[in-house]
Amino acid sequence: MKENLVIIPTYNEKENIEKIIRYVFNLSMPFDILIIEDGSPDGTADIVKRLMQEFPDKLHIIERKGKLGLGTAYITGFKWALEREYQYITEMDADFSHNPDDLIRLHDACANGADVAVGSRYKTGVNVVNWPMGRVLMSYYGSAYVRLITRMKVRDTTAGFVCYTRKVLETMDLDRVKFKGYAFQIEMKYSAWKLGFKIEEVSIVFTDRVEGTSKMSGGIFREAIFGVMNLRWRGMMGKIKPRQADK
């Protein structure tokens, strides 16, 4: 049985990938890393494979052919983690917009009773650095819209820095997760909430990437916002898999 896994999707992250891997491995708490690499033409996979020789038991990679979507990357990683019996599985970006030091805080929240720990930009106001005001407002009020429609109490519904306990991912029917972009983040939280799991927000400071190119686009954000009504309808119609009884 293994303890902690960090799943990091990558596409053209050669400027960041080695630094983020070494940073995580230097934390006081041990974490393994799984890279889900979507065919980066910039050589990201080659950097990871070189580092795997240095960290053969802690660093892993799954290579996919082309950009298949953030949601499918994480679902692939979740299934891989469950097969290897990891207890705490965390999503994290490769570009240092999520501070790796906060991995420990997310783990501790789950170890102390939460089923899902969300690295929240909006738990205590707006903790975002280097975003233009328009993007901050779109994200902040987008989360408010999601709360209004779904009735979830989570303040940062689109957060992508999230730790799941094993039992949450085992209970969900991961093959029925619909969304591939940032709406995936909403769907996962909503599904966990509908299944009765405890979600705790851990306040973090989100810092926009310094190196590399952002993957955010208007289409991704529109999927997140306009997919919410469909998500609520699916929940009302009972299409979210019910929680299994404890054995």
PDB file of all heavy atoms in Angstrom, residues 146-160:
ATOM      1  N   VAL A 146     -21.617  28.659 -10.356  1.00  0.00           N
ATOM      2  CA  VAL A 146     -21.673  27.211 -10.129  1.00  0.00           C
ATOM      3  C   VAL A 146     -22.325  26.905  -8.783  1.00  0.00           C
ATOM      4  O   VAL A 146     -23.160  25.999  -8.678  1.00  0.00           O
ATOM      5  CB  VAL A 146     -20.262  26.592 -10.198  1.00  0.00           C
ATOM      6  CG1 VAL A 146     -20.303  25.117  -9.787  1.00  0.00           C
ATOM      7  CG2 VAL A 146     -19.683  26.734 -11.598  1.00  0.00           C
ATOM      8  N   ARG A 147     -21.974  27.676  -7.763  1.00  0.00           N
ATOM      9  CA  ARG A 147     -22.594  27.463  -6.446  1.00  0.00           C
ATOM     10  C   ARG A 147     -24.104  27.694  -6.508  1.00  0.00           C
ATOM     11  O   ARG A 147     -24.885  26.959  -5.893  1.00  0.00           O
ATOM     12  CB  ARG A 147     -21.974  28.395  -5.398  1.00  0.00           C
ATOM     13  CG  ARG A 147     -20.549  28.045  -5.037  1.00  0.00           C
ATOM     14  CD  ARG A 147     -20.128  28.725  -3.734  1.00  0.00           C
ATOM     15  NE  ARG A 147     -20.262  30.166  -3.764  1.00  0.00           N
ATOM     16  CZ  ARG A 147     -19.346  30.993  -4.265  1.00  0.00           C
ATOM     17  NH1 ARG A 147     -18.240  30.502  -4.790  1.00  0.00           N
ATOM     18  NH2 ARG A 147     -19.533  32.300  -4.249  1.00  0.00           N
ATOM     19  N   LEU A 148     -24.506  28.710  -7.246  1.00  0.00           N
ATOM     20  CA  LEU A 148     -25.926  29.032  -7.354  1.00  0.00           C
ATOM     21  C   LEU A 148     -26.694  27.891  -8.026  1.00  0.00           C
ATOM     22  O   LEU A 148     -27.777  27.495  -7.566  1.00  0.00           O
ATOM     23  CB  LEU A 148     -26.101  30.321  -8.161  1.00  0.00           C
ATOM     24  CG  LEU A 148     -27.545  30.762  -8.445  1.00  0.00           C
ATOM     25  CD1 LEU A 148     -28.247  31.141  -7.145  1.00  0.00           C
ATOM     26  CD2 LEU A 148     -27.555  31.930  -9.423  1.00  0.00           C
ATOM     27  N   ILE A 149     -26.139  27.351  -9.097  1.00  0.00           N
ATOM     28  CA  ILE A 149     -26.837  26.318  -9.853  1.00  0.00           C
ATOM     29  C   ILE A 149     -26.796  24.972  -9.139  1.00  0.00           C
ATOM     30  O   ILE A 149     -27.799  24.258  -9.066  1.00  0.00           O
ATOM     31  CB  ILE A 149     -26.240  26.189 -11.269  1.00  0.00           C
ATOM     32  CG1 ILE A 149     -26.404  27.503 -12.042  1.00  0.00           C
ATOM     33  CG2 ILE A 149     -26.888  25.024 -12.033  1.00  0.00           C
ATOM     34  CD1 ILE A 149     -27.837  27.947 -12.229  1.00  0.00           C
ATOM     35  N   THR A 150     -25.635  24.600  -8.608  1.00  0.00           N
ATOM     36  CA  THR A 150     -25.481  23.260  -8.028  1.00  0.00           C
ATOM     37  C   THR A 150     -25.832  23.187  -6.545  1.00  0.00           C
ATOM     38  O   THR A 150     -26.077  22.110  -6.028  1.00  0.00           O
ATOM     39  CB  THR A 150     -24.030  22.775  -8.179  1.00  0.00           C
ATOM     40  OG1 THR A 150     -23.153  23.623  -7.411  1.00  0.00           O
ATOM     41  CG2 THR A 150     -23.586  22.778  -9.645  1.00  0.00           C
ATOM     42  N   ARG A 151     -25.791  24.365  -5.877  1.00  0.00           N
ATOM     43  CA  ARG A 151     -26.019  24.463  -4.428  1.00  0.00           C
ATOM     44  C   ARG A 151     -24.874  23.883  -3.605  1.00  0.00           C
ATOM     45  O   ARG A 151     -25.018  23.680  -2.394  1.00  0.00           O
ATOM     46  CB  ARG A 151     -27.348  23.807  -4.041  1.00  0.00           C
ATOM     47  CG  ARG A 151     -28.545  24.442  -4.738  1.00  0.00           C
ATOM     48  CD  ARG A 151     -29.843  23.795  -4.354  1.00  0.00           C
ATOM     49  NE  ARG A 151     -30.955  24.365  -5.113  1.00  0.00           N
ATOM     50  CZ  ARG A 151     -32.203  23.924  -5.050  1.00  0.00           C
ATOM     51  NH1 ARG A 151     -32.510  22.903  -4.265  1.00  0.00           N
ATOM     52  NH2 ARG A 151     -33.151  24.492  -5.766  1.00  0.00           N
ATOM     53  N   MET A 152     -23.747  23.601  -4.246  1.00  0.00           N
ATOM     54  CA  MET A 152     -22.550  23.237  -3.489  1.00  0.00           C
ATOM     55  C   MET A 152     -22.072  24.423  -2.676  1.00  0.00           C
ATOM     56  O   MET A 152     -22.238  25.576  -3.089  1.00  0.00           O
ATOM     57  CB  MET A 152     -21.414  22.826  -4.435  1.00  0.00           C
ATOM     58  CG  MET A 152     -21.428  21.409  -4.887  1.00  0.00           C
ATOM     59  SD  MET A 152     -19.823  20.920  -5.600  1.00  0.00           S
ATOM     60  CE  MET A 152     -19.629  22.084  -6.948  1.00  0.00           C
ATOM     61  N   LYS A 153     -21.403  24.165  -1.563  1.00  0.00           N
ATOM     62  CA  LYS A 153     -20.875  25.233  -0.720  1.00  0.00           C
ATOM     63  C   LYS A 153     -19.401  25.521  -1.006  1.00  0.00           C
ATOM     64  O   LYS A 153     -18.793  26.347  -0.342  1.00  0.00           O
ATOM     65  CB  LYS A 153     -21.047  24.868   0.752  1.00  0.00           C
ATOM     66  CG  LYS A 153     -22.495  24.605   1.159  1.00  0.00           C
ATOM     67  CD  LYS A 153     -23.393  25.795   0.871  1.00  0.00           C
ATOM     68  CE  LYS A 153     -24.826  25.522   1.288  1.00  0.00           C
ATOM     69  NZ  LYS A 153     -25.734  26.642   0.940  1.00  0.00           N
ATOM     70  N   VAL A 154     -18.836  24.824  -1.981  1.00  0.00           N
ATOM     71  CA  VAL A 154     -17.425  25.017  -2.325  1.00  0.00           C
ATOM     72  C   VAL A 154     -17.249  26.375  -2.999  1.00  0.00           C
ATOM     73  O   VAL A 154     -17.926  26.682  -3.981  1.00  0.00           O
ATOM     74  CB  VAL A 154     -16.933  23.896  -3.255  1.00  0.00           C
ATOM     75  CG1 VAL A 154     -15.481  24.121  -3.666  1.00  0.00           C
ATOM     76  CG2 VAL A 154     -17.108  22.536  -2.585  1.00  0.00           C
ATOM     77  N   ARG A 155     -16.322  27.188  -2.510  1.00  0.00           N
ATOM     78  CA  ARG A 155     -16.141  28.532  -3.057  1.00  0.00           C
ATOM     79  C   ARG A 155     -15.295  28.531  -4.334  1.00  0.00           C
ATOM     80  O   ARG A 155     -15.476  29.385  -5.194  1.00  0.00           O
ATOM     81  CB  ARG A 155     -15.513  29.451  -2.003  1.00  0.00           C
ATOM     82  CG  ARG A 155     -16.405  29.664  -0.784  1.00  0.00           C
ATOM     83  CD  ARG A 155     -15.982  30.889   0.006  1.00  0.00           C
ATOM     84  NE  ARG A 155     -16.094  32.121  -0.772  1.00  0.00           N
ATOM     85  CZ  ARG A 155     -17.229  32.788  -0.978  1.00  0.00           C
ATOM     86  NH1 ARG A 155     -18.370  32.338  -0.478  1.00  0.00           N
ATOM     87  NH2 ARG A 155     -17.242  33.905  -1.681  1.00  0.00           N
ATOM     88  N   ASP A 156     -14.366  27.605  -4.448  1.00  0.00           N
ATOM     89  CA  ASP A 156     -13.530  27.550  -5.658  1.00  0.00           C
ATOM     90  C   ASP A 156     -13.854  26.274  -6.417  1.00  0.00           C
ATOM     91  O   ASP A 156     -13.148  25.275  -6.351  1.00  0.00           O
ATOM     92  CB  ASP A 156     -12.050  27.601  -5.277  1.00  0.00           C
ATOM     93  CG  ASP A 156     -11.159  27.892  -6.478  1.00  0.00           C
ATOM     94  OD1 ASP A 156     -11.666  27.864  -7.622  1.00  0.00           O
ATOM     95  OD2 ASP A 156      -9.959  28.151  -6.276  1.00  0.00           O
ATOM     96  N   THR A 157     -14.951  26.333  -7.170  1.00  0.00           N
ATOM     97  CA  THR A 157     -15.460  25.129  -7.817  1.00  0.00           C
ATOM     98  C   THR A 157     -14.609  24.670  -8.996  1.00  0.00           C
ATOM     99  O   THR A 157     -14.642  23.508  -9.382  1.00  0.00           O
ATOM    100  CB  THR A 157     -16.894  25.360  -8.302  1.00  0.00           C
ATOM    101  OG1 THR A 157     -16.924  26.499  -9.171  1.00  0.00           O
ATOM    102  CG2 THR A 157     -17.829  25.594  -7.126  1.00  0.00           C
ATOM    103  N   THR A 158     -13.847  25.586  -9.600  1.00  0.00           N
ATOM    104  CA  THR A 158     -13.022  25.227 -10.759  1.00  0.00           C
ATOM    105  C   THR A 158     -11.569  24.959 -10.387  1.00  0.00           C
ATOM    106  O   THR A 158     -10.732  24.781 -11.268  1.00  0.00           O
ATOM    107  CB  THR A 158     -13.081  26.329 -11.836  1.00  0.00           C
ATOM    108  OG1 THR A 158     -12.578  27.555 -11.299  1.00  0.00           O
ATOM    109  CG2 THR A 158     -14.503  26.537 -12.336  1.00  0.00           C
ATOM    110  N   ALA A 159     -11.265  24.920  -9.101  1.00  0.00           N
ATOM    111  CA  ALA A 159      -9.881  24.699  -8.653  1.00  0.00           C
ATOM    112  C   ALA A 159      -9.322  23.405  -9.227  1.00  0.00           C
ATOM    113  O   ALA A 159     -10.003  22.379  -9.278  1.00  0.00           O
ATOM    114  CB  ALA A 159      -9.830  24.658  -7.126  1.00  0.00           C
ATOM    115  N   GLY A 160      -8.053  23.456  -9.628  1.00  0.00           N
ATOM    116  CA  GLY A 160      -7.392  22.283 -10.180  1.00  0.00           C
ATOM    117  C   GLY A 160      -6.308  21.717  -9.292  1.00  0.00           C
ATOM    118  O   GLY A 160      -5.530  20.861  -9.729  1.00  0.00           O
TER     119      GLY A 160
END
